[in-house]
Amino acid sequence: AELRIAVVGAGKMGADHIKRITERVAGARVSAIVEPDAGRAEDAARLAPGARRFGGLAEAIEADALDAVLIATPGQFHAPVLKPALEARLPILCEKPLTQDSASSLEILELEQRLDRPHIQLGFMRRFDAEYAALRELVASGESGELLMVRALHRNPSVPESYTNDMLITDSVVHEFDVVPWLAGSPVVSVEVKHPRRNSLAPERLSEPILVIMELENGVLVDVEMNVSVQFGYQVATEAVFERGIARIGQPSGLQRWDAGYFRVKDHESFTTRFAAAYDAQIQRWVDAVRRGELIDGPNAWDGYLVALACEAGVTALGEGGVVPVARPERPAFYA
Ligand code: ISE
């Protein structure tokens, strides 16, 4: 039988996942949409005919309306959904971040470790992007020598009203805190944030762009241009510097046009198109793992906790300046 998935949160990300599961993911269907906002719930329900609507996850569990849960609410609302989902022993795909800080993430880990094995897969979808995976293979192969530095451009055209200054780190650089250590094979040991000249087109409440400098345990230096008011479009491009070569991913691709004296390629305007294939692969791999009984095929809650520790250091560096160390706790056997 198809895996019945409850999607919690029907905002931009949730609606995108509802559409993806309904139209492209094999072996699963959206059986429940958990969304307190009636308008959003109605819009989302049109994407998944037959899905039942609930105001909260507990009601959906009570009604036995699901086998697994995909949490797509904003980060600050993850913990109150993770807890009942863990108590009901449900397989969970939790969009990033796990929670907003390391203490609340640790609470979730303690709850999860009462179960027989990890039940939470984290939505760090860049690991499922073919180019990031190819870059990780190049690092591991040593074909260009050792990795020395990584340059990450993370550019959003704009951000929603709800986006706060700290979210530059906890909602955006959170991706680099997961994907760069993963591709480099070494954890983050410190974070520093530098403030260039402020973009006058940025919303008053935001002081950006920022330059985030991470040091990895193996000495690799990473700089991230975190920029959420670039206006022109959505761009996530990464350059890796090796001893004997360079690698670049995330470059514009597709139809090339010459007309009216210009050369142009259509670029992205949102993460939903830039990472569409990565999201599809991530959800398909998760569904297949749940149906096999393995529950997880990707980053787990411990990876989410390590990212929460890095984000905490990043928020401190954002506010206070200086080089802030990142704690590196021992990975429990439960999360081997
Ligand atoms: C958003 O929540 C995402 O996860 C996107 O991948 C990221 O580019 C954006 O900055 C975040 O706000």
Side-chain angles (χ1 to χ4, degrees):
E2 282 188 312
L3 186 72
R4 299 176 304 158
I5 298 174
V7 176
V8 182
K12 178 172 181 168
M13 194 74 257
D16 195 48
H17 285 323
I18 290 168
K19 193 164 162 33
R20 147 174 310 108
I21 293 166
T22 305
E23 294 175 359
R24 292 194 294 279
V25 172
R29 64 183 174 87
V30 177
S31 59
I33 294 169
V34 178
E35 169 56 64
D37 177 306
R40 273 187 173 176
E42 251 166 65
D43 293 346
R46 278 194 282 277
L47 298 168
R52 296 172 63 183
R53 287 170 12 201
F54 298 91
L57 180 61
E59 292 160 60
I61 293 171
E62 188 63 33
D64 185 21
L66 66 146
D67 306 312
V69 56
L70 193 164
I71 302 176
T73 52
Q76 62 269 34
F77 305 119
H78 288 181
V81 179
L82 282 160
K83 288 177 180 168
L86 285 171
E87 270 143 39
R89 301 175 186 289
L90 289 166
I92 302 159
L93 181 82
C94 182
E95 266 294 344
K96 41 53 71 181
L98 179 59
T99 67
Q100 293 291 84
D101 55 64
S102 61
S104 54
S105 283
L106 207 49
E107 253 181 75
I108 296 298
L109 266 56
E110 275 148 20
L111 269 179
E112 185 181 34
Q113 290 177 76
R114 293 182 193 165
L115 304 179
D116 61 338
R117 62 202 141 137
H119 278 57
I120 302 171
Q121 178 169 330
L122 256 290
F124 291 119
M125 80 292 178
R126 292 193 189 177
R127 296 189 184 205
F128 298 89
D129 174 81
E131 293 184 4
Y132 271 110
L135 180 54
R136 183 173 193 248
E137 278 165 33
L138 176 58
V139 172
S141 72
E143 275 172 40
S144 294
E146 292 300 327
L147 177 69
L148 306 176
M149 292 192 285
V150 175
R151 184 139 306 130
L153 307 177
H154 188 169
R155 295 169 171 159
N156 292 190
S158 61
V159 283
E161 284 293 309
S162 56
Y163 191 98
T164 64
N165 210 57
D166 282 358
M167 284 169 73
L168 288 165
I169 301 290
T170 63
D171 195 55
S172 300
V173 178
V174 65
H175 285 291
E176 279 81 17
F177 278 133
D178 176 69
V179 78
V180 176
W182 173 79
L183 73 86
S186 178
V188 183
V189 296
S190 73
V191 186
E192 181 179 11
V193 177
K194 307 291 281 181
H195 296 267
R197 196 168 175 196
R198 182 177 176 281
N199 183 344
S200 63
L201 301 176
E204 274 310 302
R205 67 187 184 285
L206 302 182
S207 175
E208 49 99 14
I210 57 173
L211 186 65
V212 180
I213 298 159
M214 302 177 203
E215 182 171 0
L216 304 188
E217 188 174 69
N218 64 3
V220 167
L221 271 189
V222 182
D223 59 86
V224 182
E225 176 200 318
M226 192 62 238
N227 197 336
V228 298
S229 300
V230 295
Q231 317 299 313
F232 69 81
Y234 182 85
Q235 189 175 59
V236 170
T238 307
E239 182 164 299
V241 182
F242 296 86
E243 289 174 308
R244 291 194 300 277
I246 305 284
R248 242 189 219 171
I249 59 172
Q251 299 306 304
S253 63
L255 179 102
Q256 301 185 356
R257 288 186 58 185
W258 283 262
D259 65 0
Y262 285 91
F263 164 73
R264 57 185 165 154
V265 174
K266 176 82 184 78
D267 211 342
H268 293 285
E269 296 174 47
S270 164
F271 49 84
T272 50
T273 58
R274 168 69 179 78
F275 290 109
Y279 284 123
D280 289 359
Q282 169 188 254
I283 305 284
Q284 187 65 67
R285 293 259 296 269
W286 172 62
V287 165
D288 295 348
V290 172
R291 298 185 76 200
R292 283 197 308 271
E294 291 164 22
L295 310 190
I296 291 177
D297 181 7
N300 61 30
W302 181 257
D303 299 304
Y305 175 57
L306 292 180
V307 168
L309 288 168
C311 284
E312 225 145 60
V315 169
T316 301
L318 179 73
E320 299 169 17
V323 178
V324 181
V326 178
R328 276 170 290 140
E330 199 68 26
R331 183 184 286 259
F334 183 84
Y335 292 104

